[in-house]
Amino acid sequence: MENQEAKLLHKLIEHYSLSVDESYSLMKLFLSGEFNPKMAASILSIITFKGEHPDEVTGFAKALIDDMKKFNSPYDNLIDIVGTGGDHKKAFNISTIAGLILSTLGIKVAKQTRHSKKSFCGSADVLESMGVNIKADYEQKKLCLDQENIVFIDFKDYCSVCGPISNIQEELGFYSILSLLPPLCHPAMVKRTIIGAPDRFKASLVARTLENIGIEKAYVLWNEAGYDEIVPIGVTRIIVVERGKEHRELTLTANDFALAGNYKVGTPIKGGSLELNKQALEEIDNCTHGIALDTVIMNVALGLRLTGMTSSLKEGSELVKSHFKKGMLSQKISNLAKITNSI
């Protein structure tokens, strides 16, 4: 196996990218645990610093999809909203709250969630602090989908095969090709998704990979103020990926969502700590006007457009504003807590 690693490492050193097949075989080796840690770290580092190629991400993603456990669902219309991480903005858990509100509108959401290993706060940390059992069993999760239209999926619960190579990733301490995989390799095999990226390069990379792995429809976005989600600050650009069609790009601001307008660049979207994340959730739940509520409205409206439930972003925005009522979020979370803690 070391010969295979050495061969691919030398190819990368010579400034060549790996093919889909080479990347697939390499990721299979990483998932087997039978790799040389020093060579693996070198390979991941070189791929990162030369810039990932779509063929490399596609090969890695296909190998992980083949090996990971799946969340089997009777629903074939599940969607997700998730970021790739790497924007370092410490905003509140935007996509999680958007997913919860989408579920109140009848959209089936399989929301990937995660704990934070740093001083920041992951969506799983917030949900657990409010009583939701992220480690609920399959029957409880299925009941969440049946009754509440949303299920929370911890990627690591379905990708135990990633353990050995994930340890290398953690030791490296920087964003690598492995960091791109969770949004691309969904345990519930969602057919439609919204994925946020920190910049144009990563967004283009994700869009090409989604096309290669056969996604039905996706919005891949980045915000020019540096966020990996759509926010009412500056301009957000979206690559629309649809099976069998050419990619197209949209340029959006708050005005496209029937909102008053953009906030000034530099306006904070507070989050980061558990306390600030819960505070943002409470403000939104109380329908308190401000940047947090406007941000969520934009993300929910985009989700509605993805599903085809609305024909325009403005229509989706107006639907959210007329539908969402005070206390709706806390009631939804309470319902999920009851289901996930039932015997």
Side-chain angles (χ1 to χ4, degrees):
M1 294 299 180
E2 193 165 318
N3 288 337
Q4 178 189 1
E5 290 174 280
K7 180 182 176 182
L8 297 179
L9 177 58
H10 289 144
K11 181 175 181 177
L12 290 165
I13 289 171
E14 292 173 1
H15 306 289
Y16 291 101
S17 294
L18 304 182
S19 69
V20 173
D21 289 343
E22 288 171 331
S23 302
Y24 182 93
S25 298
L26 179 61
M27 186 59 177
K28 281 285 207 177
L29 177 63
F30 287 165
L31 294 173
S32 75
E34 298 176 2
F35 57 85
N36 181 309
K38 290 182 179 179
M39 281 198 178
S42 297
I43 288 170
L44 293 174
S45 298
I46 293 174
I47 289 174
T48 298
F49 293 115
K50 78 170 178 64
E52 303 90 343
H53 189 279
D55 286 350
E56 293 168 339
V57 184
T58 298
F60 271 60
K62 286 185 173 181
L64 182 52
I65 289 169
D66 285 351
D67 278 20
M68 69 193 294
K69 287 171 57 182
K70 307 298 190 298
F71 176 80
N72 296 314
S73 167
Y75 303 103
D76 63 359
N77 58 344
L78 297 175
I79 72 163
D80 194 8
I81 307 177
V82 64
T84 55
D87 69 1
H88 306 296
K89 285 294 187 178
K90 302 182 187 179
F92 68 91
N93 305 120
I94 296 168
S95 60
T96 298
I97 295 177
L100 286 164
I101 296 175
L102 280 165
S103 73
T104 70
L105 285 156
I107 304 298
K108 297 289 184 185
V109 181
K111 181 72 188 78
Q112 285 204 61
T113 186
R114 68 189 71 178
H115 293 87
S116 176
K117 290 190 175 181
K118 302 178 182 178
S119 58
F120 309 150
C121 178
S123 54
D125 302 306
V126 177
L127 293 164
E128 286 181 339
S129 76
M130 301 182 73
V132 178
N133 177 16
I134 299 299
K135 300 296 184 182
D137 64 29
Y138 172 75
E139 291 302 324
Q140 291 168 322
K141 288 180 183 293
K142 183 176 177 297
L143 201 57
C144 287
L145 262 181
D146 292 341
Q147 296 185 3
E148 298 296 330
N149 298 321
I150 188 167
V151 61
F152 293 106
I153 294 177
D154 187 334
F155 180 77
K156 289 190 175 181
D157 289 344
Y158 294 83
C159 293
S160 56
V161 290
C162 292
I165 194 61
S166 294
N167 293 335
I168 302 295
Q169 163 71 37
E170 288 176 25
E171 289 179 17
L172 289 174
F174 54 76
Y175 191 102
S176 80
I177 189 171
L178 298 179
S179 307
L180 290 167
L181 298 182
L184 295 167
C185 306
H186 202 296
M189 303 299 290
V190 298
K191 295 181 179 178
R192 298 192 174 209
T193 187
I194 299 172
I195 299 179
D199 54 51
R200 177 185 283 274
F201 174 76
K202 288 291 191 295
S204 298
L205 192 62
V206 168
R208 287 280 302 279
T209 304
L210 286 169
E211 178 185 9
N212 290 343
I213 63 178
I215 197 75
E216 182 179 287
K217 186 172 183 179
Y219 295 146
V220 184
L221 61 88
W222 73 100
N223 176 271
E224 293 187 348
Y227 290 89
D228 67 353
E229 283 157 308
I230 189 165
V231 297
I233 301 172
V235 171
T236 299
R237 301 192 186 278
I238 298 179
I239 301 172
V240 181
V241 181
E242 289 187 82
R243 189 182 298 157
K245 296 183 179 180
E246 293 291 324
H247 294 183
R248 54 194 174 91
E249 188 173 307
L250 308 176
T251 300
L252 303 175
T253 68
N255 292 326
D256 294 293
F257 293 82
L259 297 174
N262 270 10
Y263 293 77
K264 292 181 180 179
V265 174
T267 304
I269 302 178
K270 296 179 181 179
S273 69
L274 177 59
E275 181 182 355
L276 287 174
N277 271 280
K278 291 180 73 172
Q279 181 181 316
L281 191 150
E282 184 177 345
E283 289 177 2
I284 295 164
D285 198 32
N286 287 327
C287 299
T288 304
H289 179 70
I291 192 167
L293 183 59
D294 284 350
T295 297
V296 169
I297 289 171
M298 292 174 76
N299 281 270
V300 176
L302 193 63
L304 292 171
R305 187 71 193 92
L306 176 73
T307 66
M309 186 172 177
T310 55
S311 58
S312 72
L313 296 172
K314 287 185 177 180
E315 180 188 348
S317 182
E318 295 295 348
L319 175 59
V320 178
K321 287 187 279 187
S322 64
H323 164 80
F324 187 63
K325 300 293 188 295
K326 183 177 179 179
M328 194 172 279
L329 272 178
S330 53
Q331 183 60 60
K332 171 68 70 172
I333 292 171
S334 176
N335 293 347
L336 291 166
K338 289 178 183 176
I339 295 172
T340 57
N341 289 287
S342 62
I343 297 176

